């Protein structure tokens, strides 16, 4: 009973100890003790402290940390550590400034775990500077040692990063010991990120696919020096330069080699409570090498984050530690090639470790090549379209590393497995994006040539576009979906029951809409009516006008669309496909469409920003998590609905497929390919149609959200009397930006006057910049919707 009491007394004594921070440094002959939490050095301006910081149970490291966000010695934002790989005991460990000049860190039993090895004839002093630099000075003020010279995972503003510097990530979120990722100047003078794991190592940034100059880097300057200035401008002698998204003074910043392998620049928010990312090396977490270990496939979705899963036929080596990857569940034997087969992994890419590259071979020949090689674990098979040498390429591989599914990747991987494993492997693809890809493998089995032509034709004309190799790949994926849903009867009934999604009779809907009396909108192929269902729910019912597609086909498509669930996509509750009637039943949105709201005063800046971000999330879900198989093709404010909490819901997605084209007539075709003012140039120039058409329309929508001006109407510029011409929204905004001397001027000029000057300027600048990237003429210059979400999220929100 006595012990807790003593502890209580002790801790209150500690609490009452007047806070004692050493501003003027640690003098020769004195120590900081791990047992005295108040024994810290603090920089003169109070922004940094140095002292013992807990890193585990009864384990401490000597560290420097930011005093904001407030942390009182636990879970601080650590920027440097003396002994990250060898923590000391929580009793009687200390950091001492010896009279010899040396600074030593001693563990409980006087074992020196770390030292500066400085020898000085005159007395030395340890000080923490305002920039977070811990320096050991002699009596003349000469620097004998400084923490800036040996960074751990963080670079602070004005801290030089040179040929000898490394930023090494920590092992995991809570474990500060050295991890597998590092930033360094390689022998080519290029600032690089490398993964150095237990079994292999590889550079992953700048992208190994690019030549140095293609990545915008230069190899010529062997000075090897990089620095982040205090305004947020990073520049390196290899010509890498970038600006923080919130470039400007008076902001605390740090560049950190994060444990997940990405290099990020953080800024401390004004309230001093949260660090936000203001730049990162790359937006696709699955491109980080080694992130999931060998024999795995990494998947990234904005809502789930990064996920690792074993490649088919492999099992996880150690639970909870993906860095060790997976091991085979089978024995591959070389004298039994007859027992081996290949399983196709759609759009999956594994990095490097090719035995060789074989051009112009068929899939069958490629399989034979891999079978002949005992150590071949599988092969990448791709069709490359180049000007002179179109052809297929076969890359047999000895290792399965960095498996992932890059966006827009049009090749497949074939993993070598025992025949039994291949045939038993039908239903077990465990991709997290359930709604679209869990049936892909199964579908391939049902795929037959006779159907293919028919489906392809159907796909081409019912999707929102013609032509383009890229599109065909997307369509093939789509077709596979249709195939599973081919037979609507007993199975479909079951599916529908489980999701609440159901079939309505025409009579039911006629009654619910009171004989289609209350029309609430007209758009893409139909008229929308308000309805009250028999269970009391208020619904919006869309009656499709020219959908004269067969019932089974209609059902198959509706089924697929009905399975898409995302908070920023409108919920479809059911459909009716009776006789010639084709109706869709959606949830009803009280606040109507964005178009209606934008021209009233109901949307303040925060709501507009939420709508921008939510819409991007909905579209990213359609594009990326579903392997790009749903293009919307008609993004505009009329198709963004607003719920009671002013969250946006994208509607009318998938409609392009529902409206049966029959013969292609220009009149019909022009309707599905979007709306004037929002249409990407690809439509006009007959270029391949990809998800980037939606990105373009989304960019226009953003500009409309900011300016309150409709792109379809054109912009009247004539106040200054100089010009009366109508310009497009994009050129008008670009013109305002180019003409202005300061940010404040152009933001003021273009912001929607209905906001009456009340808006967050930094967010607004981010939104406009994202918008202008989305509306680039060249589709490849536009970001993906996933990237848009990340840009808006990290730069704009919080
Ligand atoms: C941190 O990770 C290292 C390497 O895996 C391990 O040895 C150490 O025990 C971990 N430390 C903590 C506090 O979990
Ligand atoms: C560095 O980049 C700038 C612009 O990005 C370019 O003009 C210049 O040629 C580059 N320098 C080298 C040495 O590559
Ligand atoms: C290399 O970079 C340093 C620092 O920016 C600069 O002073 C020097 O002139 C550069 N050398 C060459 C050859 O470009
Ligand atoms: C960033 O720093 C580099 C090198 O010092 C300089 O050339 C560049 O102009 C700076 N950019 C800005 C926007 O200040
Ligand atoms: C294959 O080779 C292994 C050892 O190399 C041997 O043990 C096995 O019996 C062989 N199997 C066949 C079917 O020849
Ligand atoms: C592949 O074959 C085609 C036609 O025979 C030829 O034109 C092309 O150059 C070949 N490509 C390569 C890479 O050998």
């Amino acid at each position: 009973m006595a012990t807790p009491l003593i502890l209580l007394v002790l801790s209150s004594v500690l609490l009452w100890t007047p806070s004692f921070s050493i501003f003027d440094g640690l003098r020769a002959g004195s120590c900081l003790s791990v047992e005295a939490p108040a024994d810290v050095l603090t920089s003169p301006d109070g922004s940094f402290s140095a002292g013992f910081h807990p890193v585990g149970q009864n384990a401490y490291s000597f560290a420097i940390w930011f005093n904001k966000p407030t942390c009182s010695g636990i879970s601080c934002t650590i920027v440097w550590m003396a002994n990250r790989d060898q923590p000391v005991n929580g009793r009687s460990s200390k950091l001492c400034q010896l009279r010899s000049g040396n600074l030593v860190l001693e563990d409980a039993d006087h074992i020196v775990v770390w030292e500066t090895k400085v020898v000085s004839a005159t007395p030395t002093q340890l000080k923490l500077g305002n920039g977070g630099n811990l320096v050991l000075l002699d009596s003349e003020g000469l620097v004998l040692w400084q923490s800036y010279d040996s960074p751990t995972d963080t670079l602070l503003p004005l801290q030089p990063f040179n040929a000898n510097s490394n930023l090494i990530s920590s092992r995991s979120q809570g474990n500060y010991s050295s991890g597998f990722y590092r930033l360094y100047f390689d022998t080519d003078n290029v600032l690089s990120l490398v993964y150095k794991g237990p079994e292999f190592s590889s550079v992953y940034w700048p992208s190994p696919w690019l030549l140095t100059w293609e990545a915008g880097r230069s190899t010529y300057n062997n000075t090897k020096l990089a620095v982040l200035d205090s305004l947020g401008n990073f520049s390196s002698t290899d010509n890498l330069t970038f600006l923080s998204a919130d470039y400007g003074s008076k902001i605390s910043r740090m560049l950190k080699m994060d444990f997940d392998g990405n290099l990020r620049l953080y800024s401390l928010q004004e309230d001093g409570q949260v660090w936000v990312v203001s730049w990162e090396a790359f937006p696709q977490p699955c491109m980080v090498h080694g992130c999931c270990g060998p024999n795995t496939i990494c998947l990234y979705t904005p809502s789930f984050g990064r996920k690792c899963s074993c490649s088919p036929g492999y099992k996880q080596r150690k639970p909870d530690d993906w860095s060790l990857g997976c091991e085979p569940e089978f024995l591959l034997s070389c004298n039994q090639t007859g027992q081996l087969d290949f399983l196709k992994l759609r759009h999956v890419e594994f990095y490097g470790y090719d035995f060789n590259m074989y051009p112009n071979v068929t899939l069958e020949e490629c399989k034979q090549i891999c079978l002949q090689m005992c150590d071949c674990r599988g092969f990448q098979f791709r069709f490359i379209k180049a000007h002179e040498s179109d052809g297929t390429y076969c890359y047999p591989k000895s290792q399965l590393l960095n498996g992932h599914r890059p966006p827009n990747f049009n090749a497949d991987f074939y993993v070598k497995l025992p025949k039994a494993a291949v045939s038993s492997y039908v239903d077990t693809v465990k991709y997290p994006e359930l709604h679209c890809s869990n049936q892909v493998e199964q579908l391939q089995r049902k795929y037959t040539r006779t159907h293919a032509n028919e489906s392809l034709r159907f796909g081409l004309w019912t999707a929102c576009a013609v032509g383009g190799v890229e599109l065909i790949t997307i369509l093939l994926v789509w077709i596979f979906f249709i195939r599973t849903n081919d037979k609507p009867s007993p199975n479909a009934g079951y599916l529908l029951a489980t999701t609440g999604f159901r079939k309505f009779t025409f009579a039911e809907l006629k009654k619910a809409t009171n004989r289609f009396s209350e029309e609430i909108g007209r758009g893409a192929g139909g008229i929308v009516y308000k309805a009250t269902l028999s269970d009391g729910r208020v619904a919006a019912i869309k009656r499709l006008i020219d959908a004269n597609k067969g019932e089974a086909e209609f059902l198959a498509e509706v089924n697929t669309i009905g399975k898409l669930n995302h908070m920023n996509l409108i919920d479809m509750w059911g459909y009716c496909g009776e006789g010639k009637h084709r109706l869709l039943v959606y949830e009803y949105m009280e606040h109507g469409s964005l178009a209606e709201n934008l021209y009233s005063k109901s949307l303040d800046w925060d709501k507009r920003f939420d709508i921008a971000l939510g819409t991007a999330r909905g579209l990213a879900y359609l594009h990326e998590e579903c392997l790009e198989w749903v293009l919307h093709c008609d993004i505009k404010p009329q198709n963004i609905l607003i719920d009671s909490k002013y969250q946006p819901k994208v509607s009318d997605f998938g409609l392009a497929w529902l409206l049966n084209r029959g013969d292609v007539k220009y009149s019909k075709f022009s309707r599905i390919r979007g709306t004037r003012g929002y249409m990407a140039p690809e439509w006009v120039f007959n270029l391949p149609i990809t998800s980037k058409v939606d990105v373009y329309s989304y960019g226009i929508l953003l500009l409309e959200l900011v300016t309150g001006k409709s792109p379809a109407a054109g912009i009247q510029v004539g106040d200054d009397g100089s010009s009366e011409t109508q310009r497009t929204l994009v050129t008008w905004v670009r013109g305002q930006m180019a003409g202005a001397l300061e940010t404040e001027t152009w933001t003021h000029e273009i912001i929607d006057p209905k906001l009456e000057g009340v808006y967050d300027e930094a967010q607004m600048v981010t939104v406009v910049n994202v918008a202008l990237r989305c509306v680039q003429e060249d589709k490849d210059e536009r970001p993906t919707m996933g990237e848009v979400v990340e840009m808006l999220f990290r730069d704009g929100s919080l």
Side-chain angles (χ1 to χ4, degrees), residues 318-503:
K318 192 177 154 201
D320 305 327
D321 191 355
W322 277 108
S323 63
L324 301 176
C326 301
E327 58 194 6
E329 289 179 313
F330 53 85
L331 279 173
L332 273 188
S333 163
C334 297
N335 50 6
Q336 298 170 307
T337 51
Q339 304 295 309
L340 298 172
D341 202 355
F342 293 90
L343 183 69
K344 177 170 172 175
L345 306 177
R346 180 160 290 277
H347 298 303
V348 168
E349 176 184 45
F350 284 96
Y351 172 77
Y353 293 86
D354 304 339
F355 283 108
N356 207 337
M357 186 262 275
Y358 300 86
N360 273 352
V361 296
T362 63
L363 179 59
E364 206 41 53
E365 286 164 343
C366 191
K367 284 183 178 177
Q368 287 309 319
I369 291 170
C370 184
L371 282 178
Q372 307 297 310
M373 294 173 173
C374 182
D375 295 329
C376 177
R377 317 289 292 280
F379 61 90
Q380 198 85 54
F381 191 73
R382 69 191 302 187
F383 179 78
I384 296 180
K385 200 167 161 55
H387 283 306
E388 260 109 50
S389 54
D390 284 10
T392 53
Y393 290 81
C394 164
Y395 306 84
K397 288 184 189 286
S398 62
Q399 297 286 334
L400 305 183
L401 295 177
N402 294 105
H404 67 298
R405 298 194 298 174
N408 307 319
F409 185 65
N410 290 336
D412 301 313
F413 194 83
Y414 291 79
V415 60
K416 193 182 192 180
L417 293 174
K419 268 194 174 137
V422 172
S423 54
S424 69
Y425 191 79
V426 175
D427 288 319
T428 55
V429 184
K430 292 191 206 92
Y431 295 134
E433 314 93 302
L434 291 173
H435 305 297
C436 357
S437 51
N438 57 344
Q439 290 158 335
V440 169
E441 291 305 328
Q442 192 179 2
L443 288 166
Q444 277 169 256
R445 271 154 236 287
K446 289 196 188 175
Y447 177 82
T448 59
R449 196 162 279 282
T450 43
H451 275 122
N453 292 337
E454 199 184 296
S455 306
L456 196 57
R457 191 159 45 81
F458 147 73
L460 273 174
W461 296 124
T462 50
C464 57
V466 265
V469 177
E470 292 172 67
L471 179 66
I472 291 173
T473 327
I474 296 162
L475 286 173
L476 286 175
V477 175
W478 164 252
I479 289 159
F480 293 146
F481 285 110
I482 304 238
R483 293 280 140 243
T484 38
N485 291 327
D486 251 352
K487 294 189 182 61
S489 18
N491 271 346
Y494 168 74
L495 247 172
L496 303 189
T498 58
T499 57
F501 177 83
R502 74 176 185 95
K503 178 175 180 165

Side-chain angles (χ1 to χ4, degrees), residues 55-57 59 85 87 171-172 174-178 180 321:
V55 295
Q57 210 170 8
D85 292 316
R171 189 69 170 74
S172 65
N175 185 334
Y176 297 99
S177 63
S178 303
F180 299 137
D321 191 355

Side-chain angles (χ1 to χ4, degrees), residues 26 168 306 314 385 414 520 666 757:
L26 190 64
I168 301 178
R306 186 161 78 181
Y314 290 76
K385 200 167 161 55
Y414 291 79
I520 52 176
Y666 288 108

Side-chain angles (χ1 to χ4, degrees), residues 563-788:
K563 277 189 235 156
L564 292 169
N565 293 307
H566 187 276
M567 62 170 290
N568 294 118
L569 296 181
I570 195 92
D571 236 4
M572 196 194 276
W573 289 342
Y575 65 96
C576 164
E578 224 171 82
K580 61 185 193 317
H581 303 297
R582 299 287 177 265
L583 297 97
L584 303 172
V585 181
Y586 293 107
E587 59 180 324
Y588 176 74
M589 292 286 114
E590 205 64 51
H591 286 295
S593 75
L594 174 59
E596 294 157 48
N597 284 272
L598 202 49
Y599 297 101
S600 70
K601 279 195 175 182
S602 58
L603 298 181
D604 62 19
W605 174 258
D606 286 348
K607 286 184 187 136
R608 291 185 195 212
F609 186 80
D610 283 352
I611 289 168
L613 186 57
T615 305
R617 285 190 170 129
L619 290 174
Y621 181 81
L622 286 181
H623 288 174
E624 278 157 38
E625 296 182 34
C626 301
L627 272 177
E628 293 219 348
W629 64 270
V630 180
L631 308 187
H632 188 291
C633 301
D634 198 13
I635 307 291
K636 56 181 176 182
Q638 287 76 9
N639 285 336
I640 310 297
L641 302 182
I642 308 291
D643 77 3
S644 57
K645 295 184 187 118
Y646 283 93
Q647 286 301 314
K649 288 186 186 258
V650 177
S651 76
D652 273 3
F653 51 87
L655 265 195
W657 279 291
L658 285 181
L659 306 173
N660 194 3
R661 296 298 119 199
D663 286 327
V664 182
K665 293 270 162 36
Y666 288 108
S667 57
K668 289 182 175 180
F669 196 62
S670 62
R671 180 165 37 197
I672 37 167
R673 64 184 206 177
T675 303
R676 210 179 140 249
Y678 299 90
M679 266 161 54
E682 291 95 293
W683 294 113
V684 182
F685 299 112
N686 232 343
L687 295 168
I689 298 304
T690 66
S691 59
K692 296 295 179 68
V693 299
D694 285 350
V695 176
Y696 184 94
S697 309
Y698 173 80
I700 300 285
L701 181 106
L702 282 187
L703 293 180
E704 190 169 356
L705 262 178
V706 169
T707 62
K709 291 182 167 45
S710 164
I715 310 298
Q716 287 285 355
V717 283
D719 295 351
D720 56 349
S722 60
S723 154
E724 283 294 332
T725 50
Q726 292 217 328
R727 285 200 254 161
T728 70
L729 187 54
V730 177
T731 49
W732 178 70
V733 169
R734 286 206 180 113
Q736 292 291 331
M737 287 176 76
L741 294 173
E742 286 166 24
T743 311
E744 213 175 290
T745 338
W746 67 259
T747 54
H748 184 72
E749 286 299 324
I750 70 167
I751 193 78
D752 188 348
K754 286 192 287 302
L755 290 172
E756 294 170 341
V758 185
Y759 63 99
D760 181 322
E761 190 177 84
Q763 272 186 351
M764 184 266 201
V765 171
T766 302
V767 172
V768 172
N769 284 330
V770 169
L772 292 179
R773 287 187 57 189
C774 291
V775 298
Q776 305 261 25
E777 299 285 303
D778 177 358
K779 71 173 170 52
D780 297 329
E781 302 265 295
R782 295 175 211 151
T784 64
M785 284 315 302
E787 285 161 6
V788 167

Side-chain angles (χ1 to χ4, degrees), residues 212-213 216-221 237-241:
T212 311
W213 57 267
R217 307 295 191 86
S218 140
T219 52
Y220 305 121
N221 193 326
T237 48
D238 70 350
N239 218 10
L240 169 70
T241 58

Side-chain angles (χ1 to χ4, degrees), residues 485-556:
N485 291 327
D486 251 352
K487 294 189 182 61
S489 18
N491 271 346
Y494 168 74
L495 247 172
L496 303 189
T498 58
T499 57
F501 177 83
R502 74 176 185 95
K503 178 175 180 165
F504 291 85
T505 65
F506 186 69
E508 227 178 325
L509 295 184
K510 196 163 153 189
K511 182 160 173 251
T513 54
N514 200 4
R515 298 180 161 265
F516 300 101
S517 55
E518 197 178 341
E519 184 179 321
I520 52 176
R522 266 169 200 262
I527 302 174
V528 187
Y529 302 92
K530 188 169 176 179
T532 309
L533 302 179
S534 54
D535 59 8
R537 289 185 296 175
V538 182
I541 294 182
K542 179 164 222 163
R543 193 172 182 179
L544 301 178
I545 297 168
D546 60 351
N548 44 10
K549 182 175 277 185
E551 193 171 335
E553 203 173 19
F554 175 76
L555 176 58

